[in-house]
Amino acid sequence: EAGVAQSPRYKIIEKRQSVAFWCNPISGHATLYWYQQILGQGPKLLIQFQNNGVVDDSQLPKDRFSAERLKGVDSTLKIQPAKLEDSAVYLCASSYRSGGYTFGSGTRLTVV
Amino acid sequence: AQTVTQSQPEMSVQEAETVTLSCTYDTSESDYYLFWYKQPPSRQMILVIRQEAYKQQNATENRFSVNFQKAAKSFSLKISDSQLGDAAMYFCAYRSAPRDNAGNMLTFGGGTRLMVKP
C-alpha cells in the first residue's frame, strides 16, 4: 500500500509571500486531515475533509490559510500571506472510516 | 473539548532498561480511542500502540505496553528492553469514537522526548 504523499519536503519563504503544500492520501481513504506542528509541540488540526467536503475547519486561520480537496482525492493547503509564526511542519494524514490514520512525512516550512 | 497532557518534556533511559511515559486526558465521552505515536527526526508519525476505551485489558505490542486507567483518565506507555532505535518524540493522542462514516480528528499531547543511553 502506498503511503500518504506530501510535497515539498522543505520550503523557505520570506514573510508576506505565499506558499502551497500538496497531499495525496491513501487510495480509498475518504477522510483527509491537515495538521500544523510547531517546533516542540504536538500537532494541531487545521482542517478535516470528508471526501471533498469540509468537516471541521474551526482552527484554520481563514484570513490567510485556505485548503481545498477537489474531486475528493488530493488536497492543497495554501498560506497567503505568510507570517513568521507560520513556521512549522505541516502534516497531512488520511483515514478510512474508523480505521487507523496514515501520516505523510510532512512539509517543513520556514518563514524568514 | 478534549485535552491531552504529557507532563514529561524529556525522559532518559539506559539501553535494555524499562521506561514509562505518562499521559493524562480530559473528556466527557465514554467511547473513544487512545494512541501512542512515535516521531523520529524524519517527522513520520508512527503508530506504536492503540487502546479502545471499552476494553478493560491493556494493549501490548511486543516491547510496548500501556497502563490504561479509565476512571483516572490516565494512559501511560511502558517500553521494555529499550533500544537505541526507540529514541524519538512520543505523542499521546485521543480520538473520539466515530458516529458515522467520517473519521475523527486526533487531539495530541505536547510530546515527550525520549533519549536512550548506550
Side-chain angles (χ1 to χ4, degrees), chain A residues 36-48:
Chain A
Q36 180 192 56
Q37 185 178 16
I38 294 172
L39 185 64
Q41 300 181 16
K44 181 187 77 173
L45 181 73
L46 289 175
I47 189 167
Q48 175 183 340

mmCIF file with all atom_site columns, all heavy atoms in Angstrom, chain A residues 36-48:
data_model
loop_
_atom_site.group_PDB
_atom_site.id
_atom_site.type_symbol
_atom_site.label_atom_id
_atom_site.label_alt_id
_atom_site.label_comp_id
_atom_site.label_asym_id
_atom_site.label_entity_id
_atom_site.label_seq_id
_atom_site.pdbx_PDB_ins_code
_atom_site.Cartn_x
_atom_site.Cartn_y
_atom_site.Cartn_z
_atom_site.occupancy
_atom_site.B_iso_or_equiv
_atom_site.pdbx_formal_charge
_atom_site.auth_seq_id
_atom_site.auth_comp_id
_atom_site.auth_asym_id
_atom_site.auth_atom_id
_atom_site.pdbx_PDB_model_num
ATOM 1   N N   . GLN A 1 36 ? -0.948  21.188 11.781 1.00 0.00 ? 36 GLN A N   1
ATOM 2   C CA  . GLN A 1 36 ? 0.202   22.076 11.934 1.00 0.00 ? 36 GLN A CA  1
ATOM 3   C C   . GLN A 1 36 ? 0.962   21.676 13.200 1.00 0.00 ? 36 GLN A C   1
ATOM 4   O O   . GLN A 1 36 ? 0.357   21.557 14.273 1.00 0.00 ? 36 GLN A O   1
ATOM 5   C CB  . GLN A 1 36 ? -0.261  23.527 12.052 1.00 0.00 ? 36 GLN A CB  1
ATOM 6   C CG  . GLN A 1 36 ? 0.883   24.521 12.206 1.00 0.00 ? 36 GLN A CG  1
ATOM 7   C CD  . GLN A 1 36 ? 0.390   25.909 12.611 1.00 0.00 ? 36 GLN A CD  1
ATOM 8   O OE1 . GLN A 1 36 ? -0.290  26.060 13.628 1.00 0.00 ? 36 GLN A OE1 1
ATOM 9   N NE2 . GLN A 1 36 ? 0.706   26.906 11.811 1.00 0.00 ? 36 GLN A NE2 1
ATOM 10  N N   . GLN A 1 37 ? 2.272   21.449 13.057 1.00 0.00 ? 37 GLN A N   1
ATOM 11  C CA  . GLN A 1 37 ? 3.081   21.078 14.215 1.00 0.00 ? 37 GLN A CA  1
ATOM 12  C C   . GLN A 1 37 ? 4.207   22.108 14.378 1.00 0.00 ? 37 GLN A C   1
ATOM 13  O O   . GLN A 1 37 ? 5.206   22.082 13.649 1.00 0.00 ? 37 GLN A O   1
ATOM 14  C CB  . GLN A 1 37 ? 3.662   19.675 14.064 1.00 0.00 ? 37 GLN A CB  1
ATOM 15  C CG  . GLN A 1 37 ? 4.406   19.213 15.302 1.00 0.00 ? 37 GLN A CG  1
ATOM 16  C CD  . GLN A 1 37 ? 4.951   17.804 15.181 1.00 0.00 ? 37 GLN A CD  1
ATOM 17  O OE1 . GLN A 1 37 ? 5.048   17.237 14.102 1.00 0.00 ? 37 GLN A OE1 1
ATOM 18  N NE2 . GLN A 1 37 ? 5.300   17.202 16.320 1.00 0.00 ? 37 GLN A NE2 1
ATOM 19  N N   . ILE A 1 38 ? 4.026   22.991 15.337 1.00 0.00 ? 38 ILE A N   1
ATOM 20  C CA  . ILE A 1 38 ? 5.059   23.962 15.670 1.00 0.00 ? 38 ILE A CA  1
ATOM 21  C C   . ILE A 1 38 ? 6.153   23.267 16.459 1.00 0.00 ? 38 ILE A C   1
ATOM 22  O O   . ILE A 1 38 ? 5.876   22.357 17.248 1.00 0.00 ? 38 ILE A O   1
ATOM 23  C CB  . ILE A 1 38 ? 4.455   25.136 16.452 1.00 0.00 ? 38 ILE A CB  1
ATOM 24  C CG1 . ILE A 1 38 ? 3.493   25.920 15.535 1.00 0.00 ? 38 ILE A CG1 1
ATOM 25  C CG2 . ILE A 1 38 ? 5.520   26.056 17.012 1.00 0.00 ? 38 ILE A CG2 1
ATOM 26  C CD1 . ILE A 1 38 ? 2.682   26.974 16.221 1.00 0.00 ? 38 ILE A CD1 1
ATOM 27  N N   . LEU A 1 39 ? 7.393   23.687 16.261 1.00 0.00 ? 39 LEU A N   1
ATOM 28  C CA  . LEU A 1 39 ? 8.544   23.026 16.884 1.00 0.00 ? 39 LEU A CA  1
ATOM 29  C C   . LEU A 1 39 ? 8.355   22.889 18.396 1.00 0.00 ? 39 LEU A C   1
ATOM 30  O O   . LEU A 1 39 ? 8.048   23.855 19.080 1.00 0.00 ? 39 LEU A O   1
ATOM 31  C CB  . LEU A 1 39 ? 9.807   23.823 16.581 1.00 0.00 ? 39 LEU A CB  1
ATOM 32  C CG  . LEU A 1 39 ? 11.123  23.203 17.069 1.00 0.00 ? 39 LEU A CG  1
ATOM 33  C CD1 . LEU A 1 39 ? 11.387  21.895 16.354 1.00 0.00 ? 39 LEU A CD1 1
ATOM 34  C CD2 . LEU A 1 39 ? 12.277  24.179 16.884 1.00 0.00 ? 39 LEU A CD2 1
ATOM 35  N N   . GLY A 1 40 ? 8.508   21.669 18.887 1.00 0.00 ? 40 GLY A N   1
ATOM 36  C CA  . GLY A 1 40 ? 8.403   21.424 20.320 1.00 0.00 ? 40 GLY A CA  1
ATOM 37  C C   . GLY A 1 40 ? 6.985   21.199 20.816 1.00 0.00 ? 40 GLY A C   1
ATOM 38  O O   . GLY A 1 40 ? 6.764   21.064 22.022 1.00 0.00 ? 40 GLY A O   1
ATOM 39  N N   . GLN A 1 41 ? 6.025   21.156 19.903 1.00 0.00 ? 41 GLN A N   1
ATOM 40  C CA  . GLN A 1 41 ? 4.631   20.957 20.290 1.00 0.00 ? 41 GLN A CA  1
ATOM 41  C C   . GLN A 1 41 ? 4.036   19.744 19.573 1.00 0.00 ? 41 GLN A C   1
ATOM 42  O O   . GLN A 1 41 ? 4.605   19.228 18.617 1.00 0.00 ? 41 GLN A O   1
ATOM 43  C CB  . GLN A 1 41 ? 3.802   22.200 19.964 1.00 0.00 ? 41 GLN A CB  1
ATOM 44  C CG  . GLN A 1 41 ? 4.265   23.455 20.678 1.00 0.00 ? 41 GLN A CG  1
ATOM 45  C CD  . GLN A 1 41 ? 3.396   24.657 20.344 1.00 0.00 ? 41 GLN A CD  1
ATOM 46  O OE1 . GLN A 1 41 ? 2.273   24.518 19.826 1.00 0.00 ? 41 GLN A OE1 1
ATOM 47  N NE2 . GLN A 1 41 ? 3.885   25.850 20.657 1.00 0.00 ? 41 GLN A NE2 1
ATOM 48  N N   . GLY A 1 42 ? 2.861   19.328 20.024 1.00 0.00 ? 42 GLY A N   1
ATOM 49  C CA  . GLY A 1 42 ? 2.141   18.288 19.324 1.00 0.00 ? 42 GLY A CA  1
ATOM 50  C C   . GLY A 1 42 ? 1.376   18.858 18.144 1.00 0.00 ? 42 GLY A C   1
ATOM 51  O O   . GLY A 1 42 ? 1.095   20.061 18.098 1.00 0.00 ? 42 GLY A O   1
ATOM 52  N N   . PRO A 1 43 ? 1.056   18.032 17.172 1.00 0.00 ? 43 PRO A N   1
ATOM 53  C CA  . PRO A 1 43 ? 0.296   18.511 16.014 1.00 0.00 ? 43 PRO A CA  1
ATOM 54  C C   . PRO A 1 43 ? -1.084  19.022 16.420 1.00 0.00 ? 43 PRO A C   1
ATOM 55  O O   . PRO A 1 43 ? -1.704  18.512 17.352 1.00 0.00 ? 43 PRO A O   1
ATOM 56  C CB  . PRO A 1 43 ? 0.171   17.264 15.135 1.00 0.00 ? 43 PRO A CB  1
ATOM 57  C CG  . PRO A 1 43 ? 1.273   16.362 15.575 1.00 0.00 ? 43 PRO A CG  1
ATOM 58  C CD  . PRO A 1 43 ? 1.438   16.617 17.036 1.00 0.00 ? 43 PRO A CD  1
ATOM 59  N N   . LYS A 1 44 ? -1.546  20.032 15.683 1.00 0.00 ? 44 LYS A N   1
ATOM 60  C CA  . LYS A 1 44 ? -2.858  20.613 15.915 1.00 0.00 ? 44 LYS A CA  1
ATOM 61  C C   . LYS A 1 44 ? -3.636  20.593 14.614 1.00 0.00 ? 44 LYS A C   1
ATOM 62  O O   . LYS A 1 44 ? -3.113  20.990 13.569 1.00 0.00 ? 44 LYS A O   1
ATOM 63  C CB  . LYS A 1 44 ? -2.700  22.044 16.424 1.00 0.00 ? 44 LYS A CB  1
ATOM 64  C CG  . LYS A 1 44 ? -4.006  22.769 16.725 1.00 0.00 ? 44 LYS A CG  1
ATOM 65  C CD  . LYS A 1 44 ? -3.750  24.229 17.052 1.00 0.00 ? 44 LYS A CD  1
ATOM 66  C CE  . LYS A 1 44 ? -3.464  25.037 15.815 1.00 0.00 ? 44 LYS A CE  1
ATOM 67  N NZ  . LYS A 1 44 ? -3.378  26.491 16.046 1.00 0.00 ? 44 LYS A NZ  1
ATOM 68  N N   . LEU A 1 45 ? -4.885  20.145 14.664 1.00 0.00 ? 45 LEU A N   1
ATOM 69  C CA  . LEU A 1 45 ? -5.694  20.046 13.459 1.00 0.00 ? 45 LEU A CA  1
ATOM 70  C C   . LEU A 1 45 ? -5.986  21.422 12.877 1.00 0.00 ? 45 LEU A C   1
ATOM 71  O O   . LEU A 1 45 ? -6.407  22.339 13.581 1.00 0.00 ? 45 LEU A O   1
ATOM 72  C CB  . LEU A 1 45 ? -7.021  19.353 13.751 1.00 0.00 ? 45 LEU A CB  1
ATOM 73  C CG  . LEU A 1 45 ? -7.936  19.166 12.535 1.00 0.00 ? 45 LEU A CG  1
ATOM 74  C CD1 . LEU A 1 45 ? -7.394  18.078 11.619 1.00 0.00 ? 45 LEU A CD1 1
ATOM 75  C CD2 . LEU A 1 45 ? -9.359  18.849 12.962 1.00 0.00 ? 45 LEU A CD2 1
ATOM 76  N N   . LEU A 1 46 ? -5.756  21.554 11.569 1.00 0.00 ? 46 LEU A N   1
ATOM 77  C CA  . LEU A 1 46 ? -6.149  22.771 10.858 1.00 0.00 ? 46 LEU A CA  1
ATOM 78  C C   . LEU A 1 46 ? -7.492  22.571 10.165 1.00 0.00 ? 46 LEU A C   1
ATOM 79  O O   . LEU A 1 46 ? -8.391  23.410 10.258 1.00 0.00 ? 46 LEU A O   1
ATOM 80  C CB  . LEU A 1 46 ? -5.096  23.155 9.817  1.00 0.00 ? 46 LEU A CB  1
ATOM 81  C CG  . LEU A 1 46 ? -3.775  23.697 10.340 1.00 0.00 ? 46 LEU A CG  1
ATOM 82  C CD1 . LEU A 1 46 ? -2.804  23.916 9.186  1.00 0.00 ? 46 LEU A CD1 1
ATOM 83  C CD2 . LEU A 1 46 ? -3.985  24.990 11.115 1.00 0.00 ? 46 LEU A CD2 1
ATOM 84  N N   . ILE A 1 47 ? -7.615  21.457 9.436  1.00 0.00 ? 47 ILE A N   1
ATOM 85  C CA  . ILE A 1 47 ? -8.830  21.221 8.668  1.00 0.00 ? 47 ILE A CA  1
ATOM 86  C C   . ILE A 1 47 ? -8.988  19.739 8.410  1.00 0.00 ? 47 ILE A C   1
ATOM 87  O O   . ILE A 1 47 ? -8.004  19.008 8.289  1.00 0.00 ? 47 ILE A O   1
ATOM 88  C CB  . ILE A 1 47 ? -8.804  22.018 7.337  1.00 0.00 ? 47 ILE A CB  1
ATOM 89  C CG1 . ILE A 1 47 ? -10.167 21.962 6.625  1.00 0.00 ? 47 ILE A CG1 1
ATOM 90  C CG2 . ILE A 1 47 ? -7.685  21.541 6.429  1.00 0.00 ? 47 ILE A CG2 1
ATOM 91  C CD1 . ILE A 1 47 ? -10.292 22.974 5.491  1.00 0.00 ? 47 ILE A CD1 1
ATOM 92  N N   . GLN A 1 48 ? -10.261 19.305 8.372  1.00 0.00 ? 48 GLN A N   1
ATOM 93  C CA  . GLN A 1 48 ? -10.599 17.915 8.092  1.00 0.00 ? 48 GLN A CA  1
ATOM 94  C C   . GLN A 1 48 ? -11.599 17.880 6.944  1.00 0.00 ? 48 GLN A C   1
ATOM 95  O O   . GLN A 1 48 ? -12.605 18.598 6.966  1.00 0.00 ? 48 GLN A O   1
ATOM 96  C CB  . GLN A 1 48 ? -11.203 17.249 9.322  1.00 0.00 ? 48 GLN A CB  1
ATOM 97  C CG  . GLN A 1 48 ? -11.693 15.824 9.088  1.00 0.00 ? 48 GLN A CG  1
ATOM 98  C CD  . GLN A 1 48 ? -12.365 15.217 10.313 1.00 0.00 ? 48 GLN A CD  1
ATOM 99  O OE1 . GLN A 1 48 ? -12.170 15.676 11.429 1.00 0.00 ? 48 GLN A OE1 1
ATOM 100 N NE2 . GLN A 1 48 ? -13.171 14.183 10.091 1.00 0.00 ? 48 GLN A NE2 1
#
